[in-house]
Amino acid sequence: LGMAITKNLVELMGGVIRVDSTQGKGSTFTVELSLARAREIPPAADAPQGHPGRRPPAGTLKGLFFLVAEDNELNAEILAEMLDMEGAKCEIVPNGQAAVERFGAAPPDKYDMILMDVQMPVMDGYEATRRIRACGHPRAREIPIVAMTANAFAEDVRHALDAGMNGHLSKPINMDAVRELLGRLREA
């Protein structure tokens, strides 16, 4: 499973992975990626710590905590690893019903955003979003909920917005798209 996740991450980043193996001697794994030089961002002295209420610098997910509803274990593992690489953390639930329950029982400052798969067993993402928006949780109306789906037609985006979601991300999830969407949601 680890190699499958690694291969998917490398491919999502536009890279390639190779293996050279000699029986009795071992294996060498080579990953090739094209990366831009990072610009250094000094940490703010008054940067908030812990969970919500924090506003990381624009263009970053660092310090954010996501509730992720995703029924495909491999997709969930890849997304968790990608968020971790961005300095964010997540809690994964396997279906919409679990997302509704987890959010409803959470303290108001626990989650910064919900990433919601659309097609899941037990309860789909659209119904889960409607139930979250209608529950009595203090942040039910304001927490950003973003659809994650391979369906990227205008009709799918409209369906997500009609259900009460704030945005739509196409699978496979691209962290640049997550950062860009988060920036737009902050400006709104």
Side-chain angles (χ1 to χ4, degrees), residues 62-84:
K62 187 174 179 138
L64 296 181
F65 192 60
F66 293 80
L67 176 59
V68 176
E70 172 61 70
D71 64 315
N72 181 295
E73 287 183 38
L74 183 58
N75 288 349
E77 287 290 326
I78 290 170
L79 182 56
E81 185 64 30
M82 291 171 70
L83 287 170
D84 188 58

Side-chain angles (χ1 to χ4, degrees), residues 80-147:
E81 185 64 30
M82 291 171 70
L83 287 170
D84 188 58
M85 289 168 48
E86 295 285 332
K89 299 293 180 202
C90 69
E91 184 174 343
I92 298 170
V93 294
N95 59 62
Q97 179 65 44
V100 171
E101 292 168 2
R102 196 68 52 97
F103 177 77
D109 63 347
K110 184 168 185 178
Y111 302 112
D112 294 297
M113 181 182 282
I114 300 172
L115 297 176
M116 184 78 72
D117 187 12
V118 171
Q119 297 177 347
M120 294 180 287
V122 183
M123 181 185 295
D124 69 34
Y126 300 126
E127 182 60 26
T129 298
R130 285 189 284 273
R131 290 190 186 194
I132 286 171
R133 294 295 188 215
C135 80
H137 192 280
R139 293 195 62 219
R141 299 276 217 193
E142 70 182 47
I143 188 152
I145 303 176
V146 176

